[in-house]
Amino acid sequence: MLRSIVLGIGSYLPARMVTNDELAQTVDTSDEWIRERTGITRRYFAAEGETTSDLAVAAAMRAIEDAGIEPASIDLVLVATSTPDNTFPATATAVQRKLGLPVGVAFDIQAVCAGFAYALSVADAMLVTGRVRRALVIGAETFSRILDFGDRSTCVLFGDGAGAMILSAVEASGRVTDRGVLATALGADGRQYDHLYVDGGVSATRTVGVLRMNGREVFRHAVQRLSEAAIEVVAKAGLRLADVDYLIPHQANRRIIEAVGKRLDLSADHVVMTVDQHANTSAASIPLALDVAVKDGRISQGDLLVLNAMGGGFTWGATLLRW
Ligand code: ACO
């Protein structure tokens, strides 16, 4: 059988770092409030003219270098984003063009903060069925462009960034000791559409709109769905949560992450947390966090990882991956 294994990973943050104190100069908030309620200390904002595909390309170049592959061997480009460069074409095709990649398959995936989990699942399905051989999977966002800086309950939470992975299909034994994607789980519940959305869009208003959120409802559902997705994906592979070396959750809020860790009975040293450094970068948050934990040496070959996310829609998903 074929398995999708990760050959390389890379990430990119825009140059401009914005601390809580800097934000508090123009927004009615404080460093203390933001740290206490969310754990966030800083975020990064893209420069004027720096687009989602620019961030995606910078992360992709690092992932390609890390994998040591020929870019021309990539035949699938997936970009998970809710902040595309343009309404169309897909940001994935902009990435394809900027990287000088040959003809292949390229499209965007829109599942908000769960976008990377959705993209990994789609890439895995295409790889293990032999439809493509090598995938570049990216989560990239410029959420700073859809924030209402007059709404202190949302604008302090988000930042821009990108993370990318190179995956390849390889022959494997089919056992849980294999490297690569061992299981994926996805879900969505459109009844929760109104809790987290952007109040504009091509077809509804012909505008871009800004982010709106019912923070308390999002918090409640996030803890539940993130935990359930992790439990589901581990069970699918016939493994136990105690087998998991690291949980790499979507980075929205320290309190959400801690609550999920507690429900899954995983101690803090088994949970990767970067929300303090990056804020919530939506679809980019998982590959950004994973890249940090790989590069600082915490994660090594053979480790069992659970990646889980939840976002607007609501959408959620998890991936069980042996590094
Ligand atoms: N600075 C100072 N005060 C603030 C701020 C701010 N940035 N934002 C809100 N407040 C005030 C409110 O006005 C309110 O004041 P009041 O009591 O005088 O009315 C008070 O703080 C408490 O507000 P709450 O909304 O009750 O605060 P809560 O403790 O629920 O925290 C938060 C709000 C951080 C948004 C929380 O609900 C949360 O984290 N929700 C999850 C949201 C999230 O992470 N979304 C990310 C996208 S979805 C995802 O990625 C899973």
Side-chain angles (χ1 to χ4, degrees):
M1 69 171 292
L2 291 173
R3 287 240 195 244
S4 316
I5 65 158
V6 179
L7 297 181
I9 183 165
S11 63
Y12 177 79
L13 291 161
R16 186 161 132 64
M17 194 244 287
V18 180
T19 62
N20 292 344
D21 281 330
E22 184 180 345
L23 213 51
Q25 287 169 17
T26 49
V27 178
D28 181 16
T29 188
S30 66
D31 176 52
E32 191 192 358
W33 192 95
I34 301 171
R35 274 178 202 259
E36 259 179 29
R37 304 287 176 122
T38 72
I40 295 165
T41 66
R42 66 189 63 168
R43 75 282 296 137
Y44 294 80
F45 285 162
E48 199 60 44
E50 191 177 28
T51 65
T52 293
S53 70
D54 293 327
L55 309 188
V57 164
M61 284 167 65
R62 291 177 180 172
I64 289 167
E65 194 189 335
D66 188 48
I69 57 150
E70 273 302 316
S73 64
I74 294 167
D75 55 358
L76 171 66
V77 181
L78 288 183
V79 177
T81 189
S82 304
T83 46
D85 289 14
N86 291 87
T87 302
F88 78 78
T91 299
T93 59
V95 169
Q96 213 188 6
R97 174 157 91 168
K98 288 180 183 178
L99 286 174
L101 301 181
V103 170
V105 180
F107 59 100
D108 290 356
I109 290 200
Q110 218 287 40
V112 206
C113 300
F116 196 77
Y118 268 68
L120 264 187
S121 186
V122 170
D124 177 52
M126 294 182 75
L127 284 162
V128 299
T129 51
R131 298 210 167 104
V132 296
R133 297 170 63 82
R134 190 158 280 175
L136 167 59
V137 182
I138 305 171
E141 302 280 14
T142 45
F143 257 54
S144 59
R145 307 268 154 78
I146 52 164
L147 295 178
D148 173 1
F149 286 94
D151 176 8
R152 66 179 181 173
S153 70
T154 55
C155 72
V156 301
L157 303 175
F158 296 89
D160 302 338
M165 247 185 208
I166 304 285
L167 294 116
S168 228
V170 298
E171 277 297 333
S173 71
R175 290 191 282 273
V176 292
T177 48
D178 287 346
R179 288 188 67 209
V181 176
L182 301 179
T184 66
L186 298 177
D189 180 0
R191 292 171 300 182
Q192 317 298 337
Y193 192 96
D194 294 336
H195 291 314
L196 177 54
Y197 63 100
V198 168
D199 65 3
V202 184
S203 187
T205 61
R206 302 183 194 210
T207 62
V208 172
V210 288
L211 186 145
R212 302 290 177 211
M213 180 176 72
N214 175 350
R216 288 204 174 161
E217 278 303 304
V218 172
F219 195 107
R220 201 168 60 81
H221 284 270
V223 173
Q224 188 188 335
R225 293 302 187 189
L226 286 163
S227 305
E228 286 171 357
I231 291 165
E232 183 185 344
V233 83
V234 170
K236 265 189 173 178
L239 288 165
R240 297 168 312 134
L241 284 164
D243 299 321
V244 173
D245 294 299
Y246 287 100
L247 175 72
I248 298 95
H250 169 51
Q251 306 287 319
N253 182 313
R254 189 193 65 224
R255 292 188 297 150
I256 293 176
I257 296 172
E258 285 172 351
V260 171
K262 207 168 160 197
R263 278 202 189 192
L264 300 179
D265 206 17
L266 292 170
S267 60
D269 54 342
H270 291 278
V271 180
V272 175
M273 179 105 69
T274 52
V275 66
D276 54 326
Q277 303 295 312
H278 304 156
N280 183 347
T281 57
S282 190
S285 96
I286 285 180
L288 266 164
L290 181 57
D291 192 34
V292 166
V294 169
K295 301 283 154 66
D296 71 19
R298 250 178 295 176
I299 292 173
S300 47
Q301 194 165 317
D303 280 351
L304 188 67
L305 314 179
V306 170
L307 285 44
N308 61 347
M310 125 91 186
F314 290 139
T315 50
W316 58 89
T319 307
L320 183 71
L321 177 69
R322 191 172 297 285
W323 194 251

